[in-house]
Amino acid sequence: QVQLVESGGGLVQTGGSLRLSCVASGLTFRTYATAWFRQAPGKEREFVASINWDGRNTFYSDSVQDRFTISRDFAKNTFYLQMNSLKPEDTARYFCAMRTFRPHMANVPSPSHYDNWGQGTQVTVSS
C-alpha cells in the first residue's frame, strides 16, 4: 500500500522559512519523480516544484523560483521542500505527490499525471 506522509507545516511570519518533508512507503522510491503542490481555500491545486527520479533535474513555478528548493534523500525515501522568504500568498495546504509518468523529467506540472498523493500539511504565513 502506497503511503505519502507530509510534515513540517506551521505558522510563520513573512520572510521566514519552513522545510516540508514527505516520507514515501509502499513503492520503489527511485523509480518515481516527485513534486509539491499547494491549494489555498477557494482556489485550484497549484504546482509548486518537481524533481526527477535521479534528483538531477528540478522545475519550479515562477511564483516560488529562487525562494523554494526541492530535494530528495534516497536513503530515507523522503523528499523535501525548503521554503525561504515566505510571503502571505504562500499560505496554503501543501501536498506531496509522486508519478511514474516521464520520471526522467522534472517539467511535469499537471496534477493529472501524478499517481499518489499525501494528505497535505498546512502552511500559514502571517503578514
Side-chain angles (χ1 to χ4, degrees):
Q1 179 180 351
V2 176
Q3 190 172 20
L4 303 181
V5 180
E6 301 99 334
S7 63
L11 174 64
V12 64
Q13 291 186 335
T14 296
S17 298
L18 285 173
R19 188 176 81 155
L20 306 183
S21 300
C22 181
V23 180
S25 60
L27 49 74
T28 304
F29 186 71
R30 64 178 63 254
T31 64
Y32 285 72
T34 66
W36 290 93
F37 290 79
R38 66 188 182 187
Q39 188 166 18
K43 295 188 176 181
E44 293 187 354
R45 192 163 295 191
E46 174 190 15
F47 172 82
V48 175
S50 179
I51 187 167
N52 75 333
W53 61 352
D54 65 6
R56 295 182 180 182
N57 295 309
T58 58
F59 179 67
Y60 299 91
S61 68
D62 290 343
S63 61
V64 308
Q65 181 78 50
D66 299 326
R67 297 189 299 123
F68 291 9
T69 303
I70 188 171
S71 61
R72 60 192 298 170
D73 184 333
F74 293 95
K76 296 181 178 179
N77 274 20
T78 301
F79 57 107
Y80 306 95
L81 184 69
Q82 177 66 44
M83 305 186 294
N84 298 328
S85 301
L86 282 161
K87 306 174 181 180
E89 50 263 45
D90 295 317
T91 295
R93 190 165 186 84
Y94 283 70
F95 298 87
C96 61
M98 300 184 73
R99 58 176 160 87
T100 54
F101 175 77
R102 297 180 180 175
H104 60 290
M105 295 178 61
N107 184 1
V108 181
S110 173
S112 64
H113 292 306
Y114 289 80
D115 309 298
N116 305 103
W117 294 83
Q119 292 301 305
T121 184
Q122 179 67 35
V123 172
T124 303
V125 184
S126 63
S127 57

